[in-house]
């Protein structure tokens, strides 16, 4: 590899059970970051004085910062107070400017995500030349995951089900859409959390970061998904620790949430080959998810992890620690209404 970002973007495929494989990424967001920025460079949108600007509080910002180093471009990331301090230090060490909206900005409609989008517009208005990757709306985000589907098909053959956390919609919608070009039967199970509006729940506080949203992203194609599972923070944290203790996979809590749903579905469908998407490693969570004292302090150690999800008939009724719902490849309007 000629650069770190190229080496980090491909996942390790790890067998977790007779019919369950994990696609373990060092940093999954490098896939859309590399693809989007390289396409922009080819199209002449990244001149030497162009500033890359984006809104993020997670690993997409880290992926952009790593790319900005290789592309020798300035980077401004609009974030919020919830950004992890370890991530913040790494971003600034890579040369990124992190512009955090104030805490009170999260009290309005759409929470921090709307506040960040408004601040992003202000930042861009003050720059002569800027480029925004627009991960929530740029079709190059899901398009970039063709390389993941090709890798899965090459290494595993026919994939019957893909399970993964949903945020911008890029990874799940992109990977599954590409797989279905040759295997239209392939199922998609999206994993969300309570307080996220992605699949019809009312907006609310989301402790489990890295999945879910306060606004509906254009890149989320609801018609891709056969089922949706909602997972609480406590259930995700416990599943993350179980994944580490049982398989020595040191991953983040969104990976744990996806593992919980994927393991159950694979056990229920022993003839189907299932792949679970695990977006990032656990180093940012050593002081939280991997700290027993922190889990006890926040009462996340009291939940008895369910053996199966509570199946509901209405998306809005997903109130258990782990809930499942048959989405049925329908549009948002068909399931939730206007």
């Amino acid at each position: 590899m000629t650069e770190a970002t190229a080496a980090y973007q491909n996942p390790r495929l790890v067998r977790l059970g007779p019919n369950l494989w994990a696609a373990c990424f060092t940093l999954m967001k490098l896939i859309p970051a590399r693809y989007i920025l390289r396409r922009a460079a080819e199209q002449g949108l990244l001149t030497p004085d162009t500033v890359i600007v984006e809104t993020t509080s997670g690993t997409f910002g880290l992926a952009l910062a790593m790319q900005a180093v290789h592309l020798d471009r300035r980077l401004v990331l609009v974030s919020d107070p919830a950004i992890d301090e370890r991530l913040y230090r790494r971003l600034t060490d890579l040369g990124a400017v992190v512009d955090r909206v104030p805490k009170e900005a999260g009290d309005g409609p759409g929470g921090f995500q709307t506040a960040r989008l408004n601040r992003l517009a202000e930042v861009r208005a003050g720059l002569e030349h800027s480029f925004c990757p627009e991960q929530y709306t740029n079709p190059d985000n899901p398009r970039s995951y063709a390389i993941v589907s090709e890798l899965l098909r090459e290494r595993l053959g026919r994939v019957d089900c893909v399970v993964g956390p949903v945020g911008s919609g890029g990874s799940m919608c992109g990977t599954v859409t590409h797989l279905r070009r040759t295997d239209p039967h392939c199922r998609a199970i999206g994993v969300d959390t309570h307080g996220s509006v992605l699949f019809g729940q009312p907006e609310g506080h989301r402790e489990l970061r890295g999945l879910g949203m306060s606004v509906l992203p254009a890149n989320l194609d609801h018609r891709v998904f056969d089922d949706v599972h909602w997972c609480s923070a406590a259930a995700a944290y416990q599943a993350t620790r179980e994944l580490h203790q049982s398989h020595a996979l040191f991953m983040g809590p969104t990976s744990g949430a996806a593992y919980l749903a994927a393991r159950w579905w694979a056990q229920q469908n022993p003839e189907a080959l299932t792949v679970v998407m695990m977006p990032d490693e656990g180093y940012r969570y050593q002081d939280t998810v991997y700290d027993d004292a922190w889990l006890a302090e926040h009462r996340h150690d009291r939940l008895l992890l369910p053996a199966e999800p509570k199946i509901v008939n209405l998306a809005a009724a997903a109130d258990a620690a782990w809930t499942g719902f048959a989405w049925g490849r329908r549009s948002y309007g068909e399931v939730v209404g206007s």
Side-chain angles (χ1 to χ4, degrees):
M1 298 296 178
T2 59
E3 60 178 71
T5 57
Y8 290 161
Q9 69 173 350
N10 289 332
R12 293 165 290 142
L13 296 181
V14 179
R15 193 168 196 167
L16 304 181
N19 63 324
L20 177 60
W21 290 79
C24 303
F25 294 84
T26 300
L27 184 61
M28 186 170 69
K29 292 290 188 177
L30 275 171
I31 294 173
R34 292 186 88 247
Y35 189 84
I36 290 171
L37 292 182
R38 276 160 172 69
R39 289 259 297 177
E42 292 169 359
Q43 295 166 3
L45 301 177
L46 287 182
T47 61
D49 60 344
T50 298
V51 181
I52 303 168
V53 185
E54 180 62 293
T55 168
T56 176
S57 62
T59 53
F60 189 63
L62 177 57
L64 291 176
M66 294 170 70
Q67 281 292 281
V69 169
H70 292 298
L71 295 172
D72 193 24
R73 296 294 186 276
R74 293 167 55 204
L75 173 65
V76 177
L77 298 172
V78 178
S79 189
D80 57 60
I83 188 172
D84 175 76
E85 284 301 316
R86 290 188 179 197
L87 175 60
Y88 174 82
R89 292 196 297 270
R90 189 170 176 187
L91 291 171
T92 54
D93 196 51
L94 286 166
V97 174
V98 181
D99 185 333
R100 289 189 272 199
V101 300
K103 184 176 181 180
E104 57 271 19
D107 297 332
F112 282 126
Q113 285 176 325
T114 296
R116 281 167 22 199
L117 287 169
N118 293 336
R119 177 57 184 155
L120 177 69
E122 294 176 359
V123 170
R124 296 196 72 182
L127 296 170
E128 184 175 358
H129 300 289
S130 67
F131 172 77
C132 182
E134 298 179 355
Q135 65 162 324
Y136 303 137
T137 59
N138 191 335
D140 278 342
N141 180 353
R143 192 177 290 134
S144 68
Y145 285 92
I147 65 171
V148 178
S149 64
E150 291 167 3
L151 176 67
L152 296 179
R153 189 180 293 111
E154 176 186 330
R155 301 284 179 84
L156 302 177
R158 170 170 162 159
V159 176
D160 297 297
C161 182
V162 179
V163 185
V166 183
S168 70
S171 60
M172 281 296 292
C173 292
T175 302
V176 173
T177 297
H178 288 293
L179 283 173
R180 284 181 181 163
R181 290 178 178 173
T182 55
D183 298 311
H185 73 283
C186 182
R187 296 181 65 86
I189 300 177
V191 180
D192 197 2
T193 189
H194 307 294
S196 163
V197 305
L198 291 183
F199 293 97
Q201 285 208 349
E203 179 191 354
H205 172 69
R206 288 184 291 114
E207 181 178 349
L208 183 56
R209 308 288 292 186
L211 76 172
M213 293 275 285
S214 298
V215 295
L216 281 175
N219 275 331
L220 175 56
D221 183 356
H222 293 85
R223 296 166 300 179
V224 166
F225 296 92
D226 295 278
D227 301 287
V228 176
H229 287 223
W230 290 268
C231 189
S232 70
Y237 298 160
Q238 289 196 33
T240 303
R241 295 292 296 273
E242 187 173 313
L243 175 67
H244 187 225
Q245 292 161 3
S246 301
H247 298 283
L249 281 178
F250 188 54
M251 309 303 292
T254 61
S255 299
Y259 168 66
L260 186 64
R263 180 181 59 181
W264 173 78
W265 198 89
Q267 289 171 348
Q268 299 301 307
N269 299 271
E271 302 303 318
L273 191 146
T274 304
V275 174
V276 55
M277 304 279 275
M278 298 190 173
D280 66 342
E281 296 180 319
Y283 296 100
R284 291 195 295 131
Y285 312 100
Q286 288 176 286
D287 298 330
T288 54
V289 179
Y290 287 94
D291 185 334
D292 290 341
W294 183 90
L295 291 175
E297 178 186 351
H298 292 81
R299 301 184 177 183
H300 290 315
D301 61 341
R302 302 185 179 187
L303 174 70
L304 180 62
L305 195 63
E308 60 184 23
K310 174 186 175 183
I311 304 299
V312 296
N313 295 321
L314 293 172
D319 57 357
W322 175 20
T323 312
F325 174 72
W327 192 270
R329 300 193 189 185
R330 292 173 288 173
S331 70
Y332 183 89
E334 287 177 300
V335 177
V336 180
S338 59

